[in-house]
């Protein structure tokens, strides 16, 4: 079945760039998303990219998509302590229409 | 006011009890979803509904049932709760609008933390 994989932990220093990586198994046209979950809160959409795009930039966030390798990354420039959270990679499923399949989440820890 | 609300926010129940988690939305979306989150496992889809008369099983529907009482309300029931259903449960909604610039973004509620003892 479809799968989304991401590393579980990333630790960076304040002011550095963070890069969170994600791979997926299905190559059909799809939307790919990055969601952020702060402690005790629900999920908030950070950004998304359609599979016919290579890159999308939104302020401090840059999403890169390598469709050949089925690899998605989220780069956060000038990482701040407020960026500490769990980041989920997700994609639309084939079987469930616009329902999402999620990676296990990457916990980003930012130290000052 | 929050666009997607979930009640209760926290619940402790005993094995074998029936429990209902409720979700309401004011976004006017026709699509609603229930996910559960377990530490280290991400979110997994339990059930989804694309309109009031449409109910579909997700990846992990066993032990759960749902009811779409109205466009704005989607409830999740555990008929006989068991300890491995202890998890954080999220409701989400999305718009069915299609088109080249539509993101199909899902909007999540704050979650219900359920503990089954």
């Amino acid at each position: 079945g479809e799968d989304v994989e991401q590393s579980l932990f990333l630790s960076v220093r304040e002011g550095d760039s963070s890069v969170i990586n994600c791979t997926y198994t299905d190559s059909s046209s799809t939307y790919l998303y990055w969601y952020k979950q702060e402690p005790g809160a629900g999920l908030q959409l950070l950004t998304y990219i359609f599979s016919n795009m290579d890159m999308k930039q939104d302020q401090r966030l840059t999403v890169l998509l390598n469709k050949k390798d089925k690899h998605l990354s989220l780069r956060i420039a000038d990482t701040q302590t407020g960026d500490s959270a769990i980041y989920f990679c997700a994609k639309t499923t084939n079987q469930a229409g616009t329902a999402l399949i999620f990676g296990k989440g990457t916990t980003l820890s930012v130290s000052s | 006011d929050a666009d997607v609300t979930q009640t209760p926010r926290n619940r402790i129940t005993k094995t074998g009890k029936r429990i209902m988690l409720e979700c309401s939305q004011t976004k006017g979306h026709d699509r609603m979803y229930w996910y559960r989150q377990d530490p280290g496992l991400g979110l997994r889809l339990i059930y989804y509904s694309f309109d009031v008369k449409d109910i579909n099983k997700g990846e992990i529907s066993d032990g759960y049932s749902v009811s779409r009482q109205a466009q704005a309300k989607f409830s999740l029931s555990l008929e006989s709760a068991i300890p491995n259903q202890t998890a954080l449960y999220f409701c989400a909604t999305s718009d069915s609008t299609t088109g080249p610039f539509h993101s199909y973004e899902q909007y999540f509620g704050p979650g219900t933390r359920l503990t089954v003892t």
Side-chain angles (χ1 to χ4, degrees):
Chain A
E2 298 179 77
D3 197 16
V4 175
E5 300 272 350
Q6 48 183 132
S7 53
L8 295 183
F9 298 101
L10 177 65
S11 182
V12 301
R13 297 184 67 87
E14 191 173 25
D16 289 349
S17 291
S18 305
V19 179
I20 302 172
N21 296 300
C22 171
T23 57
Y24 57 97
T25 58
D26 181 71
S27 60
S28 60
S29 296
T30 188
Y31 284 90
L32 297 129
Y33 306 85
W34 285 103
Y35 279 85
K36 177 183 180 182
Q37 184 182 31
E38 296 183 356
L43 276 72
Q44 174 192 4
L45 180 68
L46 283 180
T47 187
Y48 67 95
I49 191 169
F50 189 57
S51 55
N52 66 355
M53 299 168 65
D54 299 322
M55 185 183 85
K56 182 177 182 181
Q57 188 154 2
D58 184 1
Q59 299 183 331
R60 292 191 299 124
L61 305 178
T62 302
V63 178
L64 294 177
L65 176 61
N66 182 326
K67 193 175 179 180
K68 175 177 173 289
D69 293 339
K70 300 176 191 174
H71 181 267
L72 182 74
S73 68
L74 173 69
R75 179 177 181 269
I76 306 173
D78 186 25
T79 312
Q80 303 297 306
T81 55
D83 294 323
S84 294
I86 304 176
Y87 291 80
F88 290 97
C89 174
K91 65 182 290 291
T92 47
T93 67
N94 288 324
Q95 292 82 6
T98 56
L100 300 177
I101 180 168
F102 285 84
K104 292 179 171 55
T106 299
T107 298
L108 175 63
S109 176
V110 183
S111 58
S112 56
Chain B
D1 287 339
D3 295 318
V4 184
T5 57
Q6 293 183 233
T7 56
R9 294 294 312 278
N10 289 282
R11 181 72 182 268
I12 300 173
T13 192
K14 293 186 183 299
T15 297
K17 294 290 188 182
R18 183 179 189 275
I19 184 168
M20 179 182 289
L21 309 183
E22 298 187 347
C23 176
S24 294
Q25 52 113 347
T26 59
K27 299 193 73 66
H29 290 166
D30 48 4
R31 299 184 173 192
M32 298 187 73
Y33 312 82
W34 276 104
Y35 294 91
R36 68 176 273 177
Q37 182 182 18
D38 298 278
L41 292 181
L43 277 77
R44 292 178 291 168
L45 182 64
I46 306 172
Y47 270 95
Y48 62 101
S49 168
F50 283 176
D51 65 41
V52 174
K53 296 180 181 178
D54 176 75
I55 300 289
N56 302 280
K57 293 182 177 181
E59 179 188 355
I60 53 165
S61 59
D62 287 348
Y64 301 94
S65 63
V66 291
S67 173
R68 186 81 183 267
Q69 301 95 322
Q71 188 197 38
K73 296 183 182 297
F74 193 36
S75 60
L76 176 72
S77 294
L78 286 68
E79 298 301 327
S80 178
I82 56 176
N84 77 0
Q85 291 177 312
T86 294
L88 187 54
Y89 289 84
F90 286 104
C91 174
T93 75
S94 69
D95 188 2
S96 61
T97 302
T98 59
F101 303 108
H102 188 65
S103 72
Y104 301 103
E105 176 180 356
Q106 291 194 12
Y107 295 82
F108 284 79
T112 293
R113 186 167 296 280
L114 176 66
T115 303
V116 183
T117 61

